[in-house]
Amino acid sequence: MATQVFYTIPQVAEMLQLTPDHIYRVTASGELGYFKVGRMKRITQEQLNKWLESKRSYSKYERNEIAETYVATH
C-alpha cells in the first residue's frame, strides 16, 4: 500500500503559485477537499489533482474529440 502524502495550505499555495488565502477560500467553499488534523487543514495529492482537473480548460480540438467519442458511444 502506498503512503499518502498530506500537504499544508502554505505548501499547496507555494506549489501552485497562489496565495494561502486563496487556498483557504477554496477549501472553505468546499471546492477543494481536505482533512482536518487538529486545527490544521491537510490536502492529499489525490484531492489536489481532482480539484486541478476540475479547473482544466480544453482546447477546441480536445472538445471535438470528446464530443465525437460521446456521440459514437451513445
Side-chain angles (χ1 to χ4, degrees):
M1 185 166 143
T3 303
Q4 204 169 72
V5 178
F6 291 86
Y7 299 109
T8 63
I9 298 286
Q11 288 172 322
V12 171
E14 185 176 335
M15 284 190 289
L16 300 178
Q17 297 181 356
L18 298 169
T19 65
D21 284 344
H22 182 80
I23 303 302
Y24 279 114
R25 278 194 302 273
V26 295
T27 57
S29 72
E31 197 175 330
L32 174 58
Y34 63 91
F35 289 94
K36 199 113 188 235
V37 180
R39 292 175 30 187
M40 303 289 292
K41 292 181 179 180
R42 298 282 193 250
I43 300 166
T44 65
Q45 186 66 53
E46 183 180 348
Q47 290 168 317
L48 187 55
N49 289 343
K50 185 177 176 182
W51 180 67
L52 288 172
E53 186 62 31
S54 75
K55 297 298 174 192
R56 182 171 182 221
S57 293
Y58 292 94
S59 69
K60 184 177 180 179
Y61 174 78
E62 289 172 315
R63 287 192 306 271
N64 287 339
E65 287 290 314
I66 292 167
E68 288 173 10
T69 302
Y70 179 82
V71 169
T73 59
H74 288 85

